[in-house]
Amino acid sequence: MIHVRELTKHYRETVAVHDLSFDVPPGVVTGFLGPNGSGKSTTMRMIMGLDRPDEGSVTINGRAYVALDHPLREVGALLEAKAIHPGRSARHHLQYLAETNGISRQRVDEVLDLVGLTEVASRRVGKFSLGMGQRLGIAAALLGDPGVLLFDEPINGLDPEGILWVRNLLRGLAAEGRSVFVSSHLMSEMALTADRLVVIGRGALISEGTLDEFIADTAGTYVKVRGPQLAEIERVLHAAGATVVPDGEGALTVRGWEASAIGDLVMSKQLALHELSPQTASLEEAFMTLTRDSVEYHGRTTDVPVTTGK
Amino acid sequence: MTTLTPESLRTTSTPHQKSHLIRAEWTKLRTVRSTWWTLSAMVLVTLGVASIAGASVSHSWTTFNVIQRATFDPTGISLKGLLFSQLIIGVLGVLVMSAEYGTGTIRSTLAATPQRTRVLIAKAGVVGALSLVVGEVLSFGAFFLGQSLLRSPAPHAQLSQPHVLQAVVGGGVVIGLLGLFALGIATLIRHSAGAITTYVGILLVVPIILQTLPSSFSQPILKFMPFHISDVMTSTVTVGQGSSLSPWVGAGVLALYAFGTLAVGGYLLRRRDA
Ligand SMILES: Nc1ncnc2c1ncn2[C@@H]1O[C@H](COP(=O)(O)OP(=O)(O)OP(=O)(O)O)[C@@H](O)[C@H]1O
Ligand SMILES: [Mg+2]
């Protein structure tokens, strides 16, 4: 279990993370989604005690990272930047990490086997392909058999087979009851892997909840309804059991009902309709719509205060 | 998926120990090639200089004048190659820290051991022990090699003579302390090129610049320079009386450099983002 509370981090003028709070519960995969530069890696480094937050706190199983006696046995992480000396062999890299936390050499061989690097274990890491490097990073994360796992963009550089392997690995780890936290800027990938989503933009929380909630809220097919007495239409549809959300631009987003049924119902109540159009939004579009403001915002300015989009 | 077997974890479940960290740092040090390159270079240069010096003095002894013969220090001359080793051990000491930053390994290291002071102490333990042992082996090796090549009529030294043992042991101590000094510099600077430049600058360039200045100004500073201290520590005759520190004080000053930079480096290591 990871608790992130009111985390804020500045790098000089840049606000990398702003007042961010969320949880990573056990037994599920929590996806960490945000556009480039939104602060995912920074947040992960702060969880790992590598970067010091300006404000806020992180606890892992109730304790701060620095208070963990054998951190590798409680938290495993694949961080974005390759954190491996190119001149050292894969086995030696894992061996020194194992030694720091009193983990046996047998376990080093086990994780090498688990990620399929046994045959190249004695080769220098500098000669590894991107995918092999990722696998070694994953092996390091699994070394202490930890209950909490962080992966920063684990599918970077992997081929389709590798992506499938990571997806199954993450789901398997969560099914064993571990807390799995994985970042990505690809909504489509998260839709296949994650049970929960934490979405951030420009360092601030945009949404947190289950994947299903996210999809219900933002994506899929829906009907756009517009009319002069919008509040009345909303009330009628709501009373009839439809999911109705004002889209903030003078129209209603209605889910769970066909356009024809909506039209019939509204007409039967003697209300005028100005628009009644079925819409489809992919998850990717939904994600982009959700984070668009923060992305544009990010491109233009550095020192304007961040507005939380939630 | 393949299940993770936690069996192997339980078998070695022991509380966090310093020996774990020392062992891990030693694994790191011995599993990169740069360690073995730098150590080989030290052996080559130190023993090379000892043999050349021994052979050439024997050869040209007859041409030495009275003063040259009177001040000839067979111990000191056999240890001259240690000056090069002092530069090379700096590269080793720097890389132990700066390569971690250069390659990103520092993130793995600090994630595994978030108690940063302990990490630095383990590194200092390994670097200090390795450079001291290698320094002593080289110093004694160079001494015996150099003496064996000094043929009469050129005199040669024996460990039982006054100050000789102290000078030979001192040669290794200098290497040990300079390895730590380099580690300290790299903990402050964190970049290989910058840290090595700084280290070589302090050892080599600063004394050269000082020598171009009036000696009334440069002398009081020069005697605190590592090369000068090492000269004093590896000689059996008194070098530049009055304008030098004693060998013991010199060793203390080197230790101050080493542990001073390590202390400041450790403070910054705890504060800075990795
Ligand atoms: N060490 C640092 N020094 C200065 N600025 C930094 C540093 N690390 C991150 N930043 C800035 O903080 C912001 C967030 O960066 P971060 O790497 O956390 O984003 P991200 O969500 O991981 O992006 P990506 O999807 O590209 O990996 C960016 O504006 C970045 O430039
Ligand atoms: Mg990132």
Side-chain angles (χ1 to χ4, degrees), chain B residues 41 78 97 119 136 154 162 205 211 228 247 253 260:
Chain B
S78 67
M97 188 54 94
V119 172
E136 292 299 350
V205 182
Q211 246 136 27
H228 196 78
V253 169

Side-chain angles (χ1 to χ4, degrees), chain A residues 222-231 233-234 237 244-254 273-277 279:
Chain A
Y222 61 94
V223 181
K224 194 170 175 183
V225 178
R226 204 189 289 274
Q229 296 142 286
L230 211 57
I233 297 176
E234 182 179 352
L237 286 171
V244 192
V245 186
D247 72 355
E249 291 168 4
L252 298 173
T253 297
V254 185
L273 275 176
H274 289 178
E275 185 181 350
L276 182 67
S277 55
Q279 309 273 334

Side-chain angles (χ1 to χ4, degrees), chain A residues 11 14 16 34-43 45 80 153 185 298:
Chain A
Y11 294 106
T14 317
N36 288 132
S38 53
K40 303 183 295 295
S41 301
T42 304
T43 303
R45 285 198 304 273
E80 181 185 41
E153 318 225 356
H185 44 248
H298 180 66

Side-chain angles (χ1 to χ4, degrees), chain B residues 106-128:
Chain B
I106 191 73
R107 296 221 169 108
S108 302
T109 298
L110 295 182
T113 315
Q115 299 80 8
R116 298 185 180 186
T117 307
R118 286 196 213 166
V119 172
L120 186 60
I121 290 172
K123 278 188 187 299
V126 169
V127 168

Side-chain angles (χ1 to χ4, degrees), chain A:
Chain A
M1 184 81 175
I2 306 175
H3 286 287
V4 171
R5 288 295 170 270
E6 290 156 24
L7 222 48
T8 296
K9 176 78 184 174
H10 298 248
Y11 294 106
R12 299 214 169 80
E13 316 286 80
T14 317
V15 184
V17 173
H18 181 80
D19 195 21
L20 185 62
S21 301
F22 61 86
D23 290 334
V24 180
V28 291
V29 175
T30 301
F32 193 25
L33 210 55
N36 288 132
S38 53
K40 303 183 295 295
S41 301
T42 304
T43 303
M44 288 195 160
R45 285 198 304 273
M46 287 192 283
I47 293 173
M48 299 296 294
L50 295 171
D51 281 21
R52 180 192 294 256
D54 297 335
E55 277 162 55
S57 64
V58 180
T59 58
I60 292 157
N61 303 329
R63 286 190 293 165
Y65 195 92
V66 288
L68 302 177
D69 272 338
H70 290 105
L72 297 186
R73 298 183 186 194
E74 296 193 46
V75 190
L78 167 75
L79 293 177
E80 181 185 41
K82 241 197 196 175
I84 301 169
H85 194 299
R88 201 171 275 133
S89 74
R91 176 174 281 109
H92 285 146
H93 176 71
L94 296 174
Q95 188 186 318
Y96 98 74
L97 285 175
E99 284 166 354
T100 58
N101 277 242
I103 297 165
S104 73
R105 289 206 184 176
Q106 186 195 337
R107 178 63 186 167
V108 170
D109 291 330
E110 273 172 26
V111 291
L112 279 168
D113 193 46
L114 194 68
V115 301
L117 288 179
T118 304
E119 276 173 29
V120 292
S122 318
R123 241 194 266 171
R124 301 201 298 146
V125 175
K127 302 241 192 293
F128 277 20
S129 69
L130 203 55
M132 287 157 83
Q134 288 293 78
R135 282 167 184 266
L136 179 54
I138 291 171
L142 298 175
L143 194 59
D145 198 23
V148 175
L149 287 138
L150 279 73
F151 298 92
D152 198 357
E153 318 225 356
I155 60 170
N156 260 5
L158 294 182
D159 55 19
E161 194 199 332
I163 292 174
L164 188 66
W165 173 74
V166 168
R167 200 183 290 155
N168 290 334
L169 178 75
L170 298 184
R171 299 215 53 83
L173 290 166
E176 291 172 352
R178 301 169 209 262
S179 309
V180 180
F181 191 46
V182 53
S183 81
S184 176
H185 44 248
L186 293 177
M187 180 65 222
S188 49
E189 178 55 33
M190 285 298 96
L192 293 169
T193 315
D195 309 288
R196 291 181 78 253
L197 284 184
V198 173
V199 183
I200 62 167
R202 226 185 111 75
L205 188 71
I206 292 178
S207 105
E208 180 186 7
T210 68
L211 182 70
D212 293 340
E213 283 166 6
F214 184 82
I215 292 172
D217 286 355
T218 56
T221 56
Y222 61 94
V223 181
K224 194 170 175 183
V225 178
R226 204 189 289 274
Q229 296 142 286
L230 211 57
E232 192 65 13
I233 297 176
E234 182 179 352
R235 201 184 55 75
V236 165
L237 286 171
H238 192 78
T243 310
V244 192
V245 186
D247 72 355
E249 291 168 4
L252 298 173
T253 297
V254 185
R255 287 168 208 278
W257 279 46
E258 294 291 319
S260 55
I262 295 170
D264 290 349
L265 177 67
V266 173
M267 291 302 282
S268 75
K269 301 287 179 189
Q270 317 272 307
L271 294 165
L273 275 176
H274 289 178
E275 185 181 350
L276 182 67
S277 55
Q279 309 273 334
T280 350
S282 69
L283 268 179
E284 206 70 54
E285 283 167 351
F287 169 58
M288 276 159 59
T289 314
L290 206 57
T291 55
R292 182 178 297 140
D293 296 344
S294 48
V295 175
E296 284 173 6
Y297 205 16
H298 180 66
R300 276 202 313 265
T301 62
T302 49
D303 51 8
V304 177
V306 179
T307 46
T308 311
K310 183 156 183 182

